[in-house]
Amino acid sequence: MESRIGGKLLALLILSLLSIPSFGQNRDSLRARKMRELLEIARIIMDSLRQEFERQPKLFRIQLAINGKQRRLERNCEFFAMVNGTKVIPTKVGENKFLFPAQQDHIQFVLRYKRKLEIKSPSIPGKMVQKGAKIEFGQILKMKRVEKLKRKHFEEYEAWIPYSELLELESLRQDEREGKAIKFTVIYPRTFGNGIFIRSCYTDVRLG
C-alpha cells in the first residue's frame, strides 16, 4: 500500500511538470528546475514511506479456504514452519497473525486444521519473507462448488489467483474425480515496491 501511494504521488508530480508549457530557452530552463524540485519531493515522499514500511511489524497473516469459502481458524489450527528439518513455532500476536524469527535458510510453512487437514507450502528462501507475508492455504474437494462462485463473487483479484488456473487443469480434475483433494498455497511476501506471489498446487489423499 505504501509503495502504491508513493507511485501515485510521483506520477502526479510528473504530470504537473508536463503541463508546464515549454516555449523557448527560458521555458526549458524553468521546466528543468521544476523537474529537479519535483523529483526531490518524490524522493522525500518515498523515503518517508519506506521508513514507515520498515517500522511496521514483520507479520505473517494466514487464511484458509475450502472450496473457495473462508474458514475461521481460531482454536482450530496449528501453524508452524519447518527449517532444516526443525519445527519452528511462531509467536501469535493476534487473530491469524504471527511473528517468526528471521530465517536465512529455506523455510516451509505448514497449516493443520482440526487435526484432519494438513497443507504444506513449497520450501522457499527465508530472505524472501524477512519482512513478513500473507499466506493463503486452500483445499478443493469439489471443483463444481468453486466454479459456481466465479470470480465476480471474490472481493479482491488476489482472492481469485489460486483458482483462475486450477479450474482449467484437466489433470487436477481427474485427480479430484478419483477422490483426491486438491491443496494449494499462495504466499504474498511483504515487500516495498512491486509485489510478488508464490503459488503451489498438489493433490493428496482425501481425509474425513
Side-chain angles (χ1 to χ4, degrees):
M1 175 61 76
E2 299 96 334
S3 60
R4 291 177 184 174
I5 294 174
K8 289 180 179 178
L9 289 174
L10 179 58
L12 286 173
L13 291 172
I14 293 175
L15 286 174
S16 298
L17 171 66
L18 294 176
S19 66
I20 301 173
S22 56
F23 300 111
Q25 186 173 359
N26 290 337
R27 291 294 187 184
D28 289 342
S29 177
L30 174 62
R31 189 185 183 92
R33 181 164 58 84
K34 280 291 184 181
M35 171 68 86
R36 290 193 296 271
E37 292 174 355
L38 291 174
L39 289 177
E40 178 60 19
I41 292 172
R43 184 191 65 78
I44 293 172
I45 292 172
M46 295 301 290
D47 286 348
S48 177
L49 291 172
R50 180 178 287 279
Q51 290 173 11
E52 180 61 26
F53 172 82
E54 294 293 343
R55 280 196 291 266
Q56 296 300 314
K58 312 312 190 268
L59 290 176
F60 286 79
R61 306 171 188 269
I62 65 170
Q63 62 185 47
L64 169 66
I66 297 180
N67 290 327
K69 294 186 177 182
Q70 297 295 321
R71 297 299 176 95
R72 294 198 62 175
L73 296 177
E74 198 70 12
R75 301 180 193 159
N76 291 323
C77 79
E78 180 185 8
F79 174 55
F80 59 93
M82 297 299 296
V83 180
N84 293 333
T86 301
K87 186 176 181 179
V88 178
I89 307 291
T91 301
K92 189 170 185 178
V93 294
E95 185 174 357
N96 302 340
K97 298 177 182 177
F98 302 84
L99 290 173
F100 274 103
Q103 299 290 338
Q104 295 298 320
D105 296 318
H106 277 65
I107 184 169
Q108 179 185 44
F109 300 103
V110 181
L111 178 71
R112 289 177 179 161
Y113 179 66
K114 291 185 175 180
R115 299 183 180 181
K116 292 183 178 181
L117 173 62
E118 180 175 278
I119 304 175
K120 300 178 181 180
S121 80
S123 180
I124 63 173
K127 63 181 180 181
M128 294 187 70
V129 289
Q130 284 184 0
K131 304 297 183 181
K134 171 186 171 184
I135 307 175
E136 179 174 356
F137 296 89
Q139 178 177 243
I140 299 175
L141 297 173
K142 294 185 181 296
M143 284 282 202
K144 290 183 178 180
R145 291 185 183 178
V146 178
E147 288 175 327
K148 288 181 180 179
L149 293 175
K150 300 298 183 183
R151 178 174 167 181
K152 65 181 180 180
H153 294 291
F154 288 82
E155 295 180 358
E156 301 177 2
Y157 169 71
E158 283 186 355
W160 183 245
I161 286 177
Y163 310 101
S164 59
E165 295 180 12
L166 299 187
L167 296 176
E168 299 175 2
L169 297 177
E170 181 57 33
S171 60
L172 293 179
R173 288 179 179 276
Q174 181 61 36
D175 282 345
E176 188 251 349
R177 286 193 289 267
E178 293 176 359
K180 294 182 180 179
I182 298 169
K183 298 178 181 180
F184 65 83
T185 60
V186 187
I187 303 174
Y188 305 87
R190 182 172 175 269
T191 60
F192 183 81
N194 294 329
I196 61 173
F197 66 90
I198 304 160
R199 180 172 65 187
S200 72
C201 178
Y202 60 98
T203 55
D204 203 352
V205 177
R206 185 179 299 183
L207 300 177

